[in-house]
Amino acid sequence: DCGRQLRSAFDVELYVPLSTTPDANCMMMKWIALLPAYRGRLRDFLHELFRKMRRDCFFVLSSVKWPTDPTLLSDFVLLRPRRQYVDPKSPTDPEEIRGTLHTLTRRMLSEPKDVINTRVVVLGASDTGLAVLETLSTIPYIHFTNLILVAPEGIVDPGRKEPFLPSSHSFYEGEWDHLGVEDRVRVIRATAIHLDRWQKVVTLQMHKGLETEAEVKVAYDMLVIATGVEDQTPDATGMKNVSEGVVSLSNRGDVQAMLAYLERWDQKEAEAAREQETGSSSAIVIYGNTLQSLCALQGFLEQGTDPSRLLLVHPLRETNITPCNNSKIDEMMDEVIATLGIRTIHGNITGAECKDGILTSVSLQREEGADMDSLPCCLLVGCDEPNVNRHVFHTVNENMLVYDGRLVINHTFGTVDPCIYAGGTLTKFSRKYRAPMWLERYNSREVGTKLAWSLMDALD
């Protein structure tokens, strides 16, 4: 019964043929403990354990309830999880299949892993960046000792459904918890603000919650840039002087900051109403005609926001690209939005007015060459077509990496620097390949897997 559960939850058959191996030859270990003085003799202990227990295979299920020191699992192989249907009426205890599963056989013990101490730094926790770390962490014959991920929020379960944010569905919900990559990767919560590719050093702005801390420098041997693209409404509309009231929804931190600002604003308006003072407009402007803008609408409605406060602004574009790219579906979506009482207008937001750094209104141009209209509002949510972050662009440009609308890479995901690789929505293939589409049109997880194996060709 244990073997059946393992086969259904993890890809065990890739290394251990449980269908032909009796359960008596396998043993499940809840956790491993070893004195630090004997850490260097771990393989000898495991070899003797195989002999005394008369087993051919060990499994270690590391979970929150039974955690195991990751350094003691370096000789084990991390098993990938399988997507499965869990029947709520099933007698299976869900605790038995939670956590990360590692395995070790007699044959694996006689074939030590190759240890790679190369410092591999991945910038960005996008689906591509996470897929690179997943692939490198699950290679059965190699152990990486220096994998580093740099991301403002660290590692957030990419399969978890977040309000206000669309899901790529590259990972399913709960899959990342079974992978346990965090045990093999050093995570730094920071933003890369400068790159010196000659000294091989990345300068980081550290993050703690919603606040920023001091700058630190991280050296690398191989660098992977997978930051992705995001909305650039504040920069594109020249709203640098607005300190509050303008937000681009790129991650969970942006959503939390936006909701905190709205809560403070509503409290301020409630106090003004009690004192019978005239308050400012409470309209919320959602700027964009993308899937992100629809997710933002859905998020506000789920939060209980009055639909009359919401104003959806579709930018003027030469190409008629919509979230669904289907005229019938677009018409149905417009009808649903209108039925809910949400206003929709077309025009480009070109500027904003503020008072003490707080947004009070935005400037809207309904047609090319027309006069500007002022739209009073308390919040502008940027959901326009995503583009490269200006900090990433300046970093790429200063280091003379080829940029042509996106960061240019070759067929092995390499840049002009042999120590810098890149992938995901941030990149495009060189024009000499005559690629029909940019990489943003491909599955980001598959791109990350291909990038990791290209990186392996340079490391192994």
Side-chain angles (χ1 to χ4, degrees):
D1 184 62
C2 179
R4 180 186 62 80
Q5 293 179 13
L6 293 180
R7 286 198 301 269
S8 63
F10 297 91
D11 195 6
V12 180
E13 292 285 345
L14 187 62
Y15 305 103
V16 183
L18 291 180
S19 57
T20 58
T21 302
D23 289 346
N25 290 344
C26 300
M27 186 175 72
M28 176 67 73
M29 304 170 66
K30 286 188 175 181
W31 53 277
I32 304 176
L34 189 66
L35 291 175
Y38 301 107
R39 175 63 183 85
R41 312 296 296 181
L42 175 61
R43 297 182 63 84
D44 296 334
F45 279 102
L46 292 174
H47 188 276
E48 190 68 13
L49 193 61
F50 271 118
R51 186 184 69 83
K52 287 187 174 294
M53 299 300 297
R54 296 181 181 180
R55 295 291 192 271
D56 294 327
C57 176
F58 288 155
F59 292 102
V60 178
L61 185 63
S62 180
S63 62
V64 177
K65 184 177 181 180
W66 297 101
T68 298
D69 186 357
T71 60
L72 299 178
L73 299 175
S74 59
D75 294 317
F76 287 73
V77 174
L78 176 63
L79 297 179
R80 293 174 180 267
R82 283 181 174 175
R83 189 168 189 172
Q84 59 177 340
Y85 169 73
V86 179
D87 187 355
K89 298 181 181 179
S90 174
T92 303
D93 185 4
E95 292 291 337
E96 296 181 2
I97 58 176
R98 289 182 179 176
T100 60
L101 184 66
H102 299 76
T103 186
L104 182 68
T105 63
R106 288 181 180 266
R107 178 180 177 181
M108 294 177 185
L109 195 60
S110 63
E111 299 175 353
K113 291 184 178 182
D114 294 331
V115 178
I116 296 182
N117 297 317
T118 304
R119 293 170 295 187
V120 180
V121 178
V122 179
L123 299 182
S126 61
D127 291 340
T128 300
L130 296 180
V132 171
L133 296 174
E134 173 202 5
T135 304
L136 297 180
S137 300
T138 54
I139 297 177
Y141 54 89
I142 291 180
H143 174 60
F144 287 90
T145 61
N146 225 334
L147 295 178
I148 301 174
L149 173 67
V150 177
E153 292 192 316
I155 295 182
V156 180
D157 186 356
R160 185 172 61 185
K161 297 180 181 179
E162 296 284 352
F164 294 92
L165 300 176
S167 174
S168 64
H169 297 285
S170 295
F171 296 85
Y172 64 84
E173 188 173 4
E175 180 180 5
W176 196 255
D177 295 333
H178 287 299
L179 286 171
V181 177
E182 296 93 331
D183 296 336
R184 299 167 181 254
V185 176
R186 175 189 172 194
V187 181
I188 302 177
R189 297 189 57 183
T191 301
I193 59 177
H194 181 69
L195 169 65
D196 187 347
R197 71 183 183 96
W198 291 273
Q199 297 294 330
K200 292 188 176 181
V201 172
V202 182
T203 304
L204 308 177
Q205 181 75 55
M206 301 298 293
H207 290 266
K208 184 179 181 181
L210 299 178
E211 300 179 355
T212 57
E213 295 185 339
E215 298 180 2
V216 298
K217 293 184 178 181
V218 175
Y220 68 88
D221 296 316
M222 303 296 290
L223 180 66
V224 179
I225 304 177
T227 55
V229 293
E230 58 188 26
D231 174 78
Q232 300 298 316
T233 297
D235 294 331
T237 54
M239 298 186 182
K240 299 180 181 180
N241 60 330
V242 182
S243 58
E244 288 188 294
V246 180
V247 62
S248 294
L249 299 182
S250 302
N251 50 51
R252 185 175 58 176
D254 295 336
V255 174
Q256 293 176 350
M258 179 191 68
L259 295 178
Y261 167 75
L262 275 179
E263 184 178 359
R264 294 194 305 269
W265 192 92
D266 290 338
Q267 292 177 355
K268 181 180 178 181
E269 289 300 300
E271 294 176 359
R274 286 195 299 267
E275 297 176 2
Q276 297 182 352
E277 296 181 358
T278 302
S280 57
S281 174
S282 63
I284 300 174
V285 176
I286 301 174
Y287 183 60
N289 190 17
T290 60
L291 180 62
Q292 174 65 77
S293 62
L294 298 180
C295 292
L297 284 176
Q298 180 68 20
F300 281 116
L301 294 176
E302 291 178 350
Q303 292 288 330
T305 305
D306 187 354
S308 61
R309 292 182 62 183
L310 302 177
L311 176 61
L312 180 61
V313 179
H314 289 170
L316 302 176
R317 293 288 184 267
E318 296 180 358
T319 56
N320 189 22
I321 299 178
T322 61
C324 304
N325 287 326
N326 185 294
S327 58
K328 293 185 178 180
I329 298 179
D330 291 335
E331 291 177 0
M332 295 175 62
M333 291 297 301
D334 293 339
E335 291 178 2
V336 171
I337 292 174
T339 303
L340 293 173
I342 301 174
R343 296 172 294 165
T344 302
I345 59 178
H346 294 77
N348 292 331
I349 293 179
T350 58
E353 295 181 2
C354 62
K355 181 179 180 181
D356 298 329
I358 301 177
L359 180 70
T360 57
S361 65
V362 295
S363 301
L364 179 70
Q365 188 178 33
R366 297 179 182 269
E367 296 179 358
E368 294 292 338
D371 296 335
M372 299 293 178
D373 294 337
S374 180
L375 293 178
C377 61
C378 67
L379 177 65
L380 172 63
V381 183
C383 302
D384 202 2
E385 290 290 339
N387 206 337
V388 178
N389 184 281
R390 63 184 179 92
H391 297 292
V392 176
F393 170 76
H394 290 310
T395 298
V396 168
N397 193 47
E398 291 171 357
N399 287 272
M400 292 183 287
L401 301 177
V402 181
Y403 185 88
D404 183 19
R406 293 289 190 270
L407 179 59
V408 177
I409 58 176
N410 58 23
H411 65 287
T412 60
F413 299 94
T415 63
V416 293
D417 190 325
C419 296
I420 298 179
Y421 286 71
T425 57
L426 172 69
T427 60
K428 61 174 289 189
F429 285 118
S430 175
R431 294 196 182 192
K432 69 179 182 180
Y433 300 117
R434 300 182 183 275
M437 297 184 296
W438 288 2
L439 264 71
E440 62 186 24
R441 300 297 181 183
Y442 296 91
N443 184 283
S444 297
R445 185 174 184 178
E446 294 180 1
V447 172
T449 302
K450 297 290 185 181
L451 195 162
W453 286 112
S454 295
L455 192 63
M456 277 301 305
D457 293 338
L459 295 175
D460 189 13

